[in-house]
Amino acid sequence: MTTPAATDTTKAKSLKDTLNLPQTQFSMRANAAQKEPECQQQWEKASVYAQAQARRAHSDKGFYTLHDGPPYLSAPTIHIGHALNKILKDFVTRYQYQRGFASPYVPGYDGHGLPIENAVVKSLKGGRHSVTPAELRKLCRDFGAKNEAGQRSQFERLGVWGNWEQPYRTTDAAFEAEQIRVFGQLYANGYVYRGLKPVYWCSHCETALADAEVEYDTHTSDSIYVAFKVLEPPVATSSVDQDLRNVLKTWDETSFVIWTTTPWTLPANLALCFNWEIDYGIYQTTAHGKLVLAVDLVKDFSEKTGIECSLLKTFRAKTLESAVINHPFLDRKSAFLFGDHVTTDAGTGVVHTAPGHGMDDYLVCLNHDHEHPNSKLGILSPLNNKGVFNDDCGVPELVGIHYSKANDVVIDILKQKNALLGHQKFEHSYPHCWRCHNPVIYRATDQWFVSMDNNALRKEAMTAIDTVQWIPERGKTRISTMVSNRTDWCISRQRVWGVPIPMLYDAATGDVVFDADVIAHIANLFEVHTSDIWWGWSTDQLLDGLPAEVKTRIGLPARTLVQEMDIMDVWFDSGITHTAVVNARKEELGGLPVALYLEGSDQHRGWFQSSLLTSVMHNGKAPYQRVLTHGFVLDGNGRKMSKSVGNVVDPNKIMSQYGADVLRLWVASVDYTNDVRISDTIISQMVEAYKKIRNTLRFLMSNLYDFDPAQHSVATDRLDLLDRYTLHRLAEVTSTLTEAFDTFAFHKYVPTLQNFCVVDLSQLYLDVTKDILYTYPANHPERRATQTVLFTLLKTLVPMLVPVLPHLAEDIWQHLPEHQRWSDATSGVLLDGPQAKPVLNVNDQEHFRELLELKESVNSLLEVCRKGGQIGSPSETSVWIQALHPEKVSEVEKRLMKKLLLVSDLVYSQNGPPAAVLASQNEELYVLPAAGTKCPRCWKHIDFDASTSDSHPCEAVVSKADLLAAVEVSA
RNA sequence: GGGCCAUUAGCUCAGUUGGCUAGAGCGCACCCCUGAUAAGGGUGAGGUCCGGUGUUCAAGUCACCGAUGGCCCA
């Protein structure tokens, strides 16, 4: 024998060349960091999104529009919450496209507002007043544009498709113009009013703040108890109890006790507030005369002030209603009021009431004024925009002093008047400005409001809420509660970076001058020049182009008009996108109401609500048919992410490391109806899932290299039970995922798809059919049948990938030869959704599961043999099944079972096994060493004496003699 | 301080109207294969279902109390 090693290798190699081994150019690894951006460039170059819109331009199904909530342009980078939001949106638009709808997506950006203005002001060396408002606005615009560019590229990197070339911006001229048209109409219809009202006010930023712009933090305040002297006793009525009269004989020594943590608001005190239901007591003290306060709080009072109180008499506040009370240091009466907000949780049960500095105070006084029009209290708010006292405070020492420094002055005065009963420092949760983090105050100022109750807005909004599908359902409760409890919407801000409130005043009287034609005129100017001209042009310039009769109507030129310089709340900007975007781009977006708004759950009080209210006012209905909310992204331990803790997960980092598809797969694995988590562990799990899916698809493709569906497909009724079972499972997966996406249950995607790839394909179908694919003659019916199944799998799975893994779907599509493409789509992401029909009846399913159970039993036995070192692969064994009626097992079934088991032989017999047994179970299932000779080509053990090309397909490819020669050599 | 939501194996999720010896996939451990190979197959170990108290023949599932986390409001 010559150089046996060399001969051996050659022979083996030549036999291997006769196999149909898988072939593909499709790489096993995604190399996503490099390939995804290339893929995205291709999409852009080929205008794939535009192609999608064109394909659905005349769809019978019409529109399924998801209207984008505009992210705020405060930063050039996106965070993981943005990624979750945009990816969920992309699932919807891509899926609905696949279902046949026109599902356009026009991304938006929210560019006005306080945070941007503050950021820009901060960057100015000379501060806010070193530039003109017009200049400041230019800087804000540039700042937003820069951030938009950054956000856009990162959003696109996520693989989100949409009209990125023509997004909408709340800062666009046409948007601004439409916004003041909406405002004008709302004003004309009586929804908008101007009024004095306490609002959260930041004296540092010199602006009113929305509730959403206030955050709570601990703050140490001066906590004081103050005596309010009773000037005149209550008018005696029958209800006044005789004992109490006796107690109250000397009125000049009696005071009501209040508690406050804002001493500086005392100059604005106009009333004291009591609760009907609380028991009050009158107490004798040694140094402070008689004091009146709630019985439940007297102990607390004594502990904090050291003032001993001995009870003289208890009563309800109604008894003293007509008492005349004096302000502790001003020559002014304080009214006696009742309010439900007065409690015995803290304080004294008597509440200092300054309607200019508190919401409850304001409401209770407003109510009083409504009921007593002849003795109105009005509102006193003696601070200017900077929080400095003016003359209205009535205290000369305070004029010119910032409120935060006024407490000491007020406390000194109280001491002088002997009205201070106690003083401590008090730490509590207190509202702060969300931008500058300074404490904020309530301050009554002139503001513009949307009234919740004019024209029954609140009621109409509640009705509209009922017409909407809220996902998850609890969202409905949440927004209903908010809408039914909210106060009037303050829409004015004392800032420059925003859309102006387009109103004019008579310079002499201060009266509002409104005319619809003026608004229309200004809107038209904005449409050309943007709202910048409100600051850049003079009032005369702005009004110059008005028709003569309109000028006359508004009193020009006889009187001088001045502009309102407040801007609108940014929530008003984004709140009217339904009109300024959806309606304005009706051809593209299909008009109102849109199918879906999809945002984080914080938007119940933000965009969902501002959109609802403005839409109800302007359009008479909700702007959306459905609202989907998702939770927040937390770290792996369920904690909020924060820079200081260092647990922030950056989506850009994930994408540069693993690709957008992995990030998207994460989104398709978590239950967004609650808060979701992300961590390295979680991401690496997604990396594994991605690999499995990719590799499974790669296996399908590589084994179809010589398959032409037009020529080689085998009819379903000629497929065996394993084939049909696999197709049946495919249909089940398809319908599960279709239903999941129809109901927005995206988190079913990963488990369903992964389970199918792992269990049904990798472990079962692909493993079992591998030998057939490789070793059978290329045109063998069973091989072509298997390839038919593989092709069906491919054809169904690729569309299934599209909404979640568009880059992978595209990668596959681009690797398919023309004859294997089932669609004329130039891009994989343009494919229609998957279609698959169940092919097995219940009996067949049941029967096949029995076969799988048998396979499991055999596997257990084989494992015993493997662990014992007796065998390696199943082909080294044959299985012997002892059955009562072996003749009832058909040849077809035997063949199928042998295929499933991957063993060299399978025997059904009434008798026990003749040969030495490797392992057995229940005296009916035996594993034996395989008989015959290991075929060097297919590695199964073959009885070459008895074999034919039918029982041993290798012999149809290579002659028995050559096979045996190879056996000799390798032996 | 008030309201709402969540809490099932290391991870992500299933667990219909109370009947479970609590499931899946991944991950992990061990074994095999080397013709899906930076792949593939097999077997297996992991859970006082956040804690407590009730209701019930029976509770992961219902009620109450509490813990932790999250959101909203004050």
Side-chain angles (χ1 to χ4, degrees):
Chain A
M1 214 179 257
T2 58
T3 57
T7 313
D8 189 348
T9 311
T10 314
K11 282 275 183 193
K13 193 168 181 191
S14 66
L15 273 184
K16 188 167 171 177
D17 289 343
T18 68
L19 296 171
N20 311 300
L21 292 179
Q23 297 173 22
T24 181
Q25 296 296 307
F26 182 77
S27 67
M28 193 149 131
R29 290 161 65 87
N31 191 14
Q34 187 200 325
K35 283 204 175 163
E36 283 183 356
E38 287 172 12
C39 174
Q40 290 169 0
Q41 277 169 21
Q42 281 306 114
W43 285 338
E44 202 175 329
K45 206 173 144 195
S47 304
V48 166
Y49 170 78
Q51 283 189 53
Q53 302 318 301
R55 284 173 92 94
R56 298 294 184 253
H58 306 290
S59 166
D60 301 341
K61 294 198 166 186
F63 281 89
Y64 192 103
T65 301
L66 188 165
H67 176 45
D68 190 38
Y72 193 70
L73 288 173
S74 55
T77 50
I78 65 169
H79 56 68
I80 192 74
H82 287 122
L84 173 69
N85 177 256
K86 290 287 187 189
I87 291 171
L88 285 170
K89 284 172 175 167
D90 200 44
F91 289 173
V92 172
T93 54
R94 287 184 187 274
Y95 175 72
Q96 296 301 340
Y97 163 81
Q98 284 195 307
R99 297 284 280 168
F101 289 95
S103 64
Y105 178 65
V106 172
Y109 302 98
D110 192 4
H112 287 133
L114 189 62
I116 289 175
E117 187 172 332
N118 277 353
V120 169
V121 167
K122 213 172 167 183
S123 70
L124 293 174
K125 277 180 196 154
R128 161 177 298 276
H129 299 296
S130 65
V131 293
T132 66
E135 287 167 340
L136 182 59
R137 284 174 59 93
K138 174 77 168 65
L139 292 170
C140 290
R141 203 175 275 281
D142 293 347
F143 180 87
K146 193 189 76 207
N147 289 343
E148 181 190 314
Q151 292 191 8
R152 174 188 167 173
S153 70
Q154 291 160 55
F155 287 147
E156 286 199 84
R157 180 66 189 84
L158 292 167
V160 176
W161 80 354
N163 192 350
W164 294 101
E165 296 303 322
Q166 292 152 305
Y168 76 84
R169 300 175 187 87
T170 59
T171 53
D172 282 341
F175 192 106
E176 293 183 334
E178 194 62 16
Q179 184 168 336
I180 66 166
R181 288 186 192 110
V182 170
F183 176 88
Q185 199 209 35
L186 299 188
Y187 183 85
N189 290 340
Y191 287 105
V192 175
Y193 71 93
R194 183 170 151 87
L196 199 65
K197 193 168 181 180
V199 292
Y200 278 122
W201 185 270
C202 177
S203 64
H204 178 261
C205 299
E206 293 178 47
T207 188
L209 296 174
D211 290 352
E213 292 169 327
V214 165
E215 52 190 37
Y216 285 79
D217 200 356
T218 54
H219 179 70
T220 305
S221 300
D222 285 295
S223 154
I224 59 171
Y225 288 96
V226 180
F228 277 63
K229 281 225 167 85
V230 176
L231 273 192
E232 292 173 29
V235 178
T237 69
S238 56
S239 71
V240 176
D241 162 293
Q242 188 60 43
D243 290 346
L244 186 55
R245 286 192 206 215
N246 294 336
V247 171
L248 298 179
K249 266 177 192 164
T250 48
W251 274 106
D252 55 327
E253 282 179 45
T254 305
S255 301
F256 292 111
V257 184
I258 65 97
W259 174 70
T260 181
T261 57
T262 51
W264 61 268
T265 62
L266 283 170
N269 173 283
L270 295 182
L272 296 186
C273 230
F274 298 76
N275 191 318
W276 302 100
E277 307 296 330
I278 293 176
D279 288 320
Y280 291 90
I282 181 162
Y283 297 88
Q284 185 65 56
T285 69
T286 49
H288 301 279
K290 300 187 193 75
L291 299 180
V292 175
L293 64 158
V295 172
D296 288 347
L297 290 160
V298 70
K299 188 165 168 250
D300 181 55
F301 170 73
S302 290
E303 280 168 7
K304 290 201 170 117
T305 60
I307 296 171
E308 296 285 335
C309 296
S310 56
L311 181 65
L312 300 173
K313 180 71 190 162
T314 66
F315 54 93
R316 287 295 172 93
K318 185 75 180 169
T319 308
L320 301 183
E321 191 178 10
S322 54
V324 176
I325 311 160
N326 205 43
H327 191 281
F329 52 82
L330 292 170
D331 183 18
R332 187 167 70 216
K333 310 285 184 290
S334 289
F336 192 112
L337 303 179
F338 292 95
D340 290 338
H341 65 287
V342 179
T343 66
T344 55
D345 292 345
T348 61
V350 184
V351 172
H352 151 53
T353 299
H357 293 301
M359 191 51 72
D360 287 331
D361 311 42
Y362 168 76
L363 291 171
V364 76
C365 289
L366 200 68
N367 193 37
H368 171 272
D369 286 1
H370 182 69
E371 288 172 6
H372 305 88
N374 294 326
S375 62
K376 285 193 175 183
L377 297 171
I379 293 171
L380 180 56
S381 182
L383 299 179
N384 68 12
N385 286 0
K386 292 181 169 150
V388 171
F389 279 98
N390 59 29
D391 290 334
D392 295 343
C393 73
V395 183
E397 301 97 299
L398 285 175
V399 176
I401 290 182
H402 189 260
Y403 80 89
S404 64
K405 301 207 165 68
N407 283 350
D408 293 344
V409 178
V410 169
I411 288 168
D412 274 349
I413 295 171
L414 291 171
K415 278 182 190 159
Q416 285 163 30
K417 300 277 180 182
N418 199 27
L420 187 73
L421 301 176
H423 175 203
Q424 290 98 22
K425 293 291 179 182
F426 182 69
E427 190 174 276
H428 59 147
S429 172
Y430 189 86
H432 290 69
C433 174
W434 73 340
R435 290 308 300 172
C436 70
H437 304 295
N438 285 302
V440 300
I441 58 173
Y442 266 115
R443 172 174 176 259
T445 54
D446 272 324
Q447 300 290 343
W448 288 93
F449 292 90
V450 167
S451 165
M452 287 303 295
D453 298 305
N454 286 1
N455 302 329
L457 172 58
R458 194 187 309 275
K459 195 169 148 267
E460 296 293 319
M462 294 300 284
T463 307
I465 287 170
D466 267 336
T467 67
V468 175
Q469 183 193 357
W470 300 87
I471 307 156
E473 280 178 36
R474 74 182 94 104
K476 183 175 178 179
T477 317
R478 196 155 165 191
I479 194 153
S480 299
T481 311
M482 284 179 177
V483 168
S484 54
N485 294 334
R486 73 162 296 158
T487 54
D488 287 351
W489 178 9
C490 176
I491 57 169
S492 49
R493 293 292 183 277
Q494 291 64 50
R495 287 270 147 165
V496 302
W497 183 226
V499 175
I501 291 176
M503 298 299 266
L504 298 165
Y505 302 97
D506 183 310
T509 64
D511 291 343
V512 171
V513 176
F514 174 82
D515 190 289
D517 287 335
V518 174
I519 299 282
H521 170 70
I522 292 169
N524 291 340
L525 289 177
F526 282 10
E527 191 136 18
V528 178
H529 305 284
T530 80
S531 66
D532 287 350
I533 58 171
W534 192 256
W535 286 264
W537 290 12
S538 69
T539 310
D540 286 347
Q541 263 178 297
L542 285 167
L543 301 181
D544 191 40
L546 281 173
E549 77 268 20
V550 178
K551 284 188 176 172
T552 309
R553 212 156 60 216
I554 61 172
L556 289 179
R559 62 178 175 179
T560 307
L561 299 180
V562 292
Q563 297 162 235
E564 166 66 72
M565 293 315 289
D566 280 4
I567 59 167
M568 283 187 234
D569 178 12
V570 283
W571 289 112
F572 195 92
D573 297 16
S574 59
I576 58 109
T577 56
H578 47 72
T579 297
V581 179
V582 179
N583 213 37
R585 294 167 73 164
K586 204 180 232 165
E587 293 248 321
E588 183 181 5
L589 293 172
L592 295 167
V594 298
L596 183 65
Y597 277 34
L598 186 164
E599 306 296 334
S601 58
D602 55 335
Q603 297 304 329
H604 284 110
R605 77 167 181 188
W607 193 51
F608 298 149
Q609 200 179 139
S610 61
S611 297
L612 178 76
L613 295 177
T614 54
S615 184
V616 166
M617 289 188 283
H618 192 257
N619 311 320
K621 62 185 176 189
Y624 33 64
Q625 296 169 46
R626 292 173 203 81
V627 172
L628 182 150
T629 52
H630 57 80
F632 286 75
V633 185
L634 308 175
D635 76 2
N637 297 315
R639 306 290 167 123
K640 195 195 292 205
M641 290 183 191
S642 82
K643 276 184 194 162
S644 57
V645 178
N647 59 349
V648 177
V649 175
D650 177 8
N652 295 308
K653 203 176 153 197
I654 294 172
M655 286 193 287
S656 62
Q657 210 167 349
Y658 305 110
D661 275 358
V662 166
L663 193 60
R664 297 173 66 101
L665 205 56
W666 165 72
V667 175
S669 75
V670 292
D671 180 4
Y672 65 78
T673 61
N674 269 301
D675 290 342
V676 300
R677 298 180 181 198
I678 195 164
S679 66
D680 289 347
T681 314
I682 293 168
I683 286 300
S684 64
Q685 190 176 203
M686 287 307 123
V687 171
E688 293 305 316
Y690 175 86
K691 283 185 188 167
K692 188 69 189 185
I693 294 165
R694 185 182 178 91
N695 237 325
T696 304
L697 271 299
R698 179 173 183 265
F699 186 85
L700 301 180
M701 293 163 78
S702 63
N703 282 292
L704 289 167
Y705 73 93
D706 68 338
F707 182 76
D708 179 353
Q711 279 187 56
H712 303 130
S713 289
V714 174
T716 307
D717 56 8
R718 291 184 52 209
L719 301 176
D720 74 13
L721 188 55
L722 170 66
D723 294 332
R724 284 182 290 128
Y725 171 78
T726 302
L727 294 180
H728 189 79
R729 283 286 301 130
L730 177 68
E732 287 181 344
V733 166
T734 305
S735 87
T736 299
L737 290 186
T738 301
E739 198 195 323
F741 273 59
D742 281 342
T743 56
F744 308 98
F746 306 118
H747 71 286
K748 289 185 182 167
Y749 186 83
V750 170
T752 305
L753 187 59
Q754 186 176 224
N755 202 72
F756 183 62
C757 288
V758 169
V759 178
D760 297 295
L761 299 185
S762 204
Q763 292 177 2
L764 181 65
Y765 192 76
L766 305 183
D767 195 42
V768 160
T769 57
K770 228 187 299 191
D771 288 343
I772 294 165
L773 291 167
Y774 298 169
T775 67
Y776 282 28
N779 270 320
H780 192 286
E782 203 170 345
R783 180 165 183 273
R784 292 305 188 196
T786 302
Q787 285 182 314
T788 302
V789 174
L790 298 188
F791 185 69
T792 308
L793 287 165
L794 185 71
K795 200 170 130 174
T796 313
L797 287 173
V798 172
M800 216 179 275
L801 299 180
V802 168
V804 177
L805 304 169
H807 306 90
L808 176 58
E810 187 68 288
D811 200 2
I812 294 169
W813 188 249
Q814 296 309 331
H815 278 87
L816 290 185
E818 203 55 46
H819 66 271
Q820 284 183 3
R821 290 191 173 185
W822 57 90
S823 157
D824 64 351
T826 54
S827 162
V829 297
L830 292 172
L831 295 170
D832 288 346
Q835 305 238 324
K837 284 182 192 155
V839 294
L840 284 194
N841 62 37
V842 178
N843 287 344
D844 285 343
Q845 293 176 51
E846 193 53 41
H847 179 55
F848 192 77
R849 290 212 176 87
E850 286 167 13
L851 301 186
L852 287 180
E853 279 172 29
L854 178 58
K855 179 173 161 73
E856 277 186 43
S857 299
V858 170
N859 278 342
S860 294
L861 293 180
L862 291 176
E863 181 64 13
V864 172
C865 303
R866 239 190 322 264
K867 284 259 155 99
Q870 293 154 302
I871 63 157
S873 87
S875 62
E876 293 168 37
T877 68
S878 67
V879 165
W880 186 285
I881 296 171
Q882 195 171 349
L884 278 177
H885 300 287
E887 72 282 359
K888 285 189 179 168
V889 182
S890 68
E891 283 306 313
V892 170
E893 171 135 344
K894 262 189 223 170
R895 195 181 170 85
L896 175 63
M897 200 61 227
K898 187 180 153 192
K899 177 173 166 182
L900 285 174
L901 295 179
L902 294 164
V903 295
S904 280
D905 199 10
L906 173 65
V907 179
Y908 286 84
S909 166
Q910 256 182 333
N911 308 315
V917 170
L918 293 174
S920 67
Q921 180 189 300
N922 299 337
E923 296 186 356
E924 52 187 22
L925 182 61
Y926 303 89
V927 173
L928 318 175
T933 311
K934 179 178 174 183
C935 168
R937 186 171 177 279
C938 70
W939 300 341
K940 285 261 163 35
H941 288 242
I942 303 293
D943 176 1
F944 280 96
D945 293 339
S947 65
T948 64
S949 64
D950 188 42
S951 68
H952 182 211
C954 287
E955 294 174 29
V957 183
V958 179
S959 73
K960 190 179 282 195
D962 284 352
L963 288 172
L964 286 170
V967 171
E968 298 278 321
V969 168
S970 60

